[in-house]
Amino acid sequence: MSKKSRKKSSKTPSGSPTATTKSAKTRASTQTRSAKTQRTPARKSAATIAKAGSHKAPSKQLKSSKSASSPAAVKSGLKSGLKSGLAEGQKAPAFRLPRDGGDVVTLADYAGRKLVLFFYPRADTPGCTREAIDFTRLAGAFVAAGTAVLGISADPLKAQEKFRDKHKLGVPLISDETHEMLEAYGAWGEKSMYGKSFLGILRTTILVGTDGKIARIWRNVRVDGHADEVLEAARSL
């Protein structure tokens, strides 16, 4: 081999410093890319898991909410508010509630007297207005028959007083916003309108005798002529 050939081959030996340096750099670069490749999926995986977890919680809440408002749940709630089993001959349930004018009325206030309780859905609506006016028209006749008359709804006192003043009503109006008396007398329960069921006041009238027992019950009252019918029943006791 010539000197020239030996010099050329000696410049590029496989174990030369230059080759070693390049090889080390290549390995380091490869290891760095490999490490990055391994770390990146880990970060993405963690983010994906966190994201998935954040979506699962609302999903469960929505499902629970949907279940709570299901037809079965609504039906169950309606059943709990159906009218009581109050019947004629039973003792009238006691009550203590505010009336128009700020006074408090109790069943004991009418001990030994006949008492009419007419439950109406809402103050100052057409049917309720006619009913209250009819009982007012016959107020003197009820007094002559030894019978007191009270009107009851779930309206607040201010609404009751406005109702009284607007139509010059002459019977005390009781406010039962908690529905306790309404439920006790079976005047609170399931109603329907436009194909939808809901809880509300059932137009009902109760006649309590002098012995404190239920003498007559009128349910699903039709307003026209009703007050006159109740007066005749009170007179016959």
Side-chain angles (χ1 to χ4, degrees), residues 4-85:
K4 186 177 182 179
S5 298
R6 285 198 299 271
K7 287 182 181 179
K8 185 176 182 180
S9 60
S10 65
K11 289 182 180 179
T12 57
S14 58
S16 68
T18 303
T20 302
T21 302
K22 287 183 178 180
S23 178
K25 287 183 178 180
T26 300
R27 285 197 302 272
S29 176
T30 302
Q31 289 174 355
T32 302
R33 285 197 301 270
S34 177
K36 286 182 179 180
T37 303
Q38 291 176 355
R39 286 197 300 269
T40 301
R43 287 197 298 269
K44 287 184 178 180
S45 177
T48 302
I49 292 171
K51 185 176 181 181
S54 68
H55 282 292
K56 284 183 180 179
S59 177
K60 289 182 179 179
Q61 291 174 357
L62 290 173
K63 185 176 181 180
S64 175
S65 176
K66 184 177 180 181
S67 176
S69 60
S70 65
V74 173
K75 187 175 182 180
S76 176
L78 291 174
K79 282 184 177 180
S80 67
L82 293 178
K83 64 186 180 182
S84 69

Side-chain angles (χ1 to χ4, degrees), residues 28 33-34 72 94 99 113 120 154 167 175 196 208 211 215 233 235:
R33 285 197 301 270
S34 177
R99 56 155 291 185
R113 298 173 61 188
Y120 58 94
H167 300 285
S175 173
K196 294 184 179 181
V208 181
D211 57 359
R235 283 172 172 168

Side-chain angles (χ1 to χ4, degrees), residues 155-186:
D155 296 293
L157 284 178
K158 287 185 178 180
Q160 298 284 46
E161 292 171 350
K162 185 177 179 180
F163 181 37
R164 174 201 63 195
D165 295 341
K166 180 178 179 179
H167 300 285
K168 297 180 173 55
L169 302 178
V171 294
L173 302 178
I174 294 178
S175 173
D176 182 18
E177 294 186 81
T178 63
H179 311 153
E180 289 184 10
M181 182 184 180
L182 292 166
E183 292 179 10
Y185 280 87

Side-chain angles (χ1 to χ4, degrees), residues 47 49 56 82 97 106 142 176 180 205 219-220:
I49 292 171
K56 284 183 180 179
L82 293 178
L97 290 167
T106 69
F142 275 105
D176 182 18
E180 289 184 10
T205 299
R219 299 200 185 279
N220 301 315

